[in-house]
């Protein structure tokens, strides 16, 4: 009876529509296919591979661990207008909550079309679509109860109880859409504005088969730009993200400075250092960031320094996040400036 009661309470907590939010990254600017479906194919190169790993609040029993990997590329370049871009992509994501008690696995396919709206192709508008298959598991075997304590101080499953009865799954299909404006005034600077909507079909999930929870739609707005300085060996990058879901808001704002370490604009070696701040209905965290780019690879690392009232429990350790992104660029290809932060 106690076990059933605890599992029921756990379901209420983990599925609460007030607190439930989609997984998100502090380095949202290098997680393009989770940021906005319209970011698909929006880069200068033949293809792009991006990977992200985030361990949030590790001091609170591994509260949230999220990983993604994605691949996207422009297609049919020789068959569409040279000022346009059509991109396709695929993404996989896994998310573990409360040390794996609740886990989710997601696979998404995405596409976007970007239309040049001036004669030089420096201004583009795009629209993107994303379909996702989601599977979630509530694993009661990761919880221990008093009647499972054996005489040697270990844990065991009581006789007569099947482990499978404590593992329940739910799955659903999801749909998202996004739009993006990208522009430049001189072919070197860049500014962009995007908006996207997730869970537009309002999917329902259930771990019991008789009580269903409807996933609330999420609206996200992202904006930013790049401003080269002097001889373009230094660049200021600014980026921001705002999202709202079921009454919960998430606002991230900040920027970074980029330093060109070689003299090759086609294959640059860059060092980045920056700072972002996140507000989740309260002042939540400061996010220092460093990055290094060479031969098309860009590695980034950030650390959330928790400054909210949760810092007592988290010991101010909001969580570490790392990213790796690779863009394959053909020799001599520059293209128009695209969002990179």
């Amino acid at each position: 009876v106690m076990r059933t009661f605890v599992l029921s309470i756990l379901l209420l907590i983990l599925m609460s529509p007030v607190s439930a939010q989609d997984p998100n990254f502090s380095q949202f600017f290098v997680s393009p296919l989770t940021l906005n479906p319209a970011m698909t194919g929006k880069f200068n190169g033949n293809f792009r591979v991006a990977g992200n790993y985030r361990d949030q609040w590790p001091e609170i029993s591994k509260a949230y661990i999220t990983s993604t990997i994605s691949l996207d590329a422009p297609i049919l370049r020789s068959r569409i207008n040279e000022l346009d871009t059509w991109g396709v992509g695929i993404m996989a994501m896994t998310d573990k909550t409360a040390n794996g008690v609740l886990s989710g696995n997601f696979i998404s396919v995405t596409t976007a079309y970007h239309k040049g709206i001036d004669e030089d192709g420096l201004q583009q508008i795009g629209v993107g679509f994303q379909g996702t298959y989601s599977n979630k598991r509530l694993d009661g075997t990761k919880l221990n109860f008093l009647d499972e304590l054996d005489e040697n101080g270990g844990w065991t499953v009581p006789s007569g109880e099947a482990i499978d009865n404590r593992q329940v799954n739910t799955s659903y299909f999801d749909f998202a859409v996004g739009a993006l404006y990208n522009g430049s005034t001189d072919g070197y600077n860049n500014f962009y504005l995007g908006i996207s909507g997730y869970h537009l079909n309002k999917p329902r999930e259930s771990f019991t088969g008789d009580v269903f929870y409807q996933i609330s739609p999420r609206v996200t707005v992202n904006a930013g730009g790049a401003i080269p300085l002097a001889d373009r060996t230094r660049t200021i990058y600014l980026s921001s993200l705002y999202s709202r879901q079921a009454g919960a808001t998430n606002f991230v704002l900040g920027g970074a400075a980029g330093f060109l370490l070689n003299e090759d604009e086609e294959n640059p070696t860059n060092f980045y250092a920056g700072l972002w701040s996140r507000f989740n209905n309260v002042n939540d965290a400061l996010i220092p960031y460093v990055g290094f780019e060479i031969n098309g690879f860009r590695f980034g690392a950030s650390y959330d320094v928790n400054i909210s009232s949760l810092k007592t429990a988290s010991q101010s350790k909001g969580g570490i996040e790392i990213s790796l992104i690779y863009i394959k660029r053909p020799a001599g290809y520059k293209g128009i400036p695209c969002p990179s932060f």
Side-chain angles (χ1 to χ4, degrees):
V1 176
M2 179 58 69
R3 183 179 297 109
T4 302
F5 174 76
V6 172
L7 286 174
S8 298
I9 294 298
L10 181 64
L11 271 172
L12 291 174
I13 294 173
L14 295 177
M15 304 290 290
S16 171
V18 175
S19 60
Q21 283 186 280
D22 290 343
N24 62 83
F25 292 99
S26 293
Q27 296 180 49
F28 57 89
F29 42 84
V30 283
S31 183
L33 301 194
T34 64
L35 175 61
N36 187 332
M39 298 292 289
T40 308
K42 198 72 184 83
F43 61 93
N44 290 322
N46 289 336
F47 65 86
R48 172 174 61 185
V49 180
N52 307 79
Y53 172 85
R54 176 177 177 81
D55 186 356
Q56 182 176 343
W57 300 331
E59 296 299 318
I60 310 178
S61 189
K62 298 182 180 180
Y64 300 98
I65 298 178
T66 306
S67 306
T68 69
I69 186 168
S70 66
L71 168 67
D72 65 320
I75 60 172
L76 303 180
R77 279 178 166 167
S78 62
R79 297 188 180 185
I80 62 177
N81 190 298
E82 63 179 3
L83 303 181
D84 298 352
T85 302
W86 185 7
V88 296
I90 186 169
M91 179 188 68
M93 177 169 64
T94 180
D95 182 58
K96 297 183 183 297
T97 302
N99 200 21
V101 173
L102 178 64
S103 61
N105 295 293
F106 312 87
I107 184 74
S108 301
V109 292
T110 180
T111 186
Y113 195 92
H114 302 270
K115 179 70 178 176
I117 56 177
D118 68 333
E119 61 182 11
D120 298 319
L122 296 181
Q123 320 289 324
Q124 285 189 325
I125 55 174
V127 61
F129 303 90
Q130 185 178 83
T132 300
Y133 173 76
S134 304
N135 179 267
K136 294 182 180 180
R137 165 174 285 197
L138 182 65
D139 190 352
T141 65
K142 295 183 180 296
L143 299 174
N144 296 120
F145 301 90
L146 184 60
D147 60 352
E148 297 173 4
L149 185 63
D150 64 25
E151 59 184 10
N152 298 317
W155 301 98
T156 184
V157 177
S159 60
E161 180 179 344
I163 292 180
D164 290 344
N165 292 337
R166 298 171 62 185
Q167 296 175 326
V168 288
N169 295 271
T170 185
S171 59
Y172 56 88
F173 288 95
D174 210 346
F175 182 72
V177 64
L180 178 73
Y181 166 77
N182 179 75
S184 176
T185 61
D186 59 7
Y188 293 97
N189 61 20
N190 171 247
F191 44 90
Y192 62 91
L193 173 65
I195 184 170
S196 53
Y198 292 80
H199 315 306
L200 297 183
N201 57 323
K202 297 182 179 180
R204 300 195 307 163
E205 58 183 359
S206 174
F207 287 102
T208 62
D210 54 354
V211 177
F212 288 86
Y213 163 66
Q214 187 174 75
I215 300 177
S216 299
R218 171 169 59 92
V219 176
T220 297
V221 179
N222 65 295
I227 308 170
L229 304 178
D231 56 358
R232 298 195 297 275
T233 60
R234 292 165 293 167
T235 303
I236 300 298
Y237 299 92
L238 302 173
S239 63
S240 60
L241 168 73
Y242 172 82
S243 65
R244 182 177 180 85
Q245 182 180 16
T249 60
N250 184 43
F251 181 46
V252 186
L253 176 66
F259 303 88
L260 183 65
L261 303 182
N262 62 1
E263 298 181 356
D264 188 353
E265 291 187 355
E266 294 180 4
N267 187 26
T269 298
N270 286 301
F271 172 75
Y272 304 99
L275 180 68
W276 277 258
S277 182
R278 183 173 59 244
F279 309 87
N280 291 331
N281 301 319
V282 295
N283 293 338
D284 182 51
L286 295 176
I287 309 165
Y289 164 85
V290 293
F292 184 72
E293 179 182 19
I294 185 170
N295 293 328
F297 288 92
R298 179 170 146 197
F299 172 82
S302 62
Y303 193 86
D304 291 14
V305 181
N306 189 231
I307 59 175
S308 73
S309 58
L310 189 63
K311 64 183 180 182
T312 301
S314 68
Q315 300 180 30
S316 297
K317 298 177 181 179
I320 189 171
E321 186 174 316
I322 59 175
S323 64
L324 181 63
I325 190 166
Y326 173 70
I327 297 177
K328 174 62 177 178
R329 298 184 178 94
Y333 179 75
K334 180 179 182 294
I336 67 171
C338 293
S340 56
F341 272 89

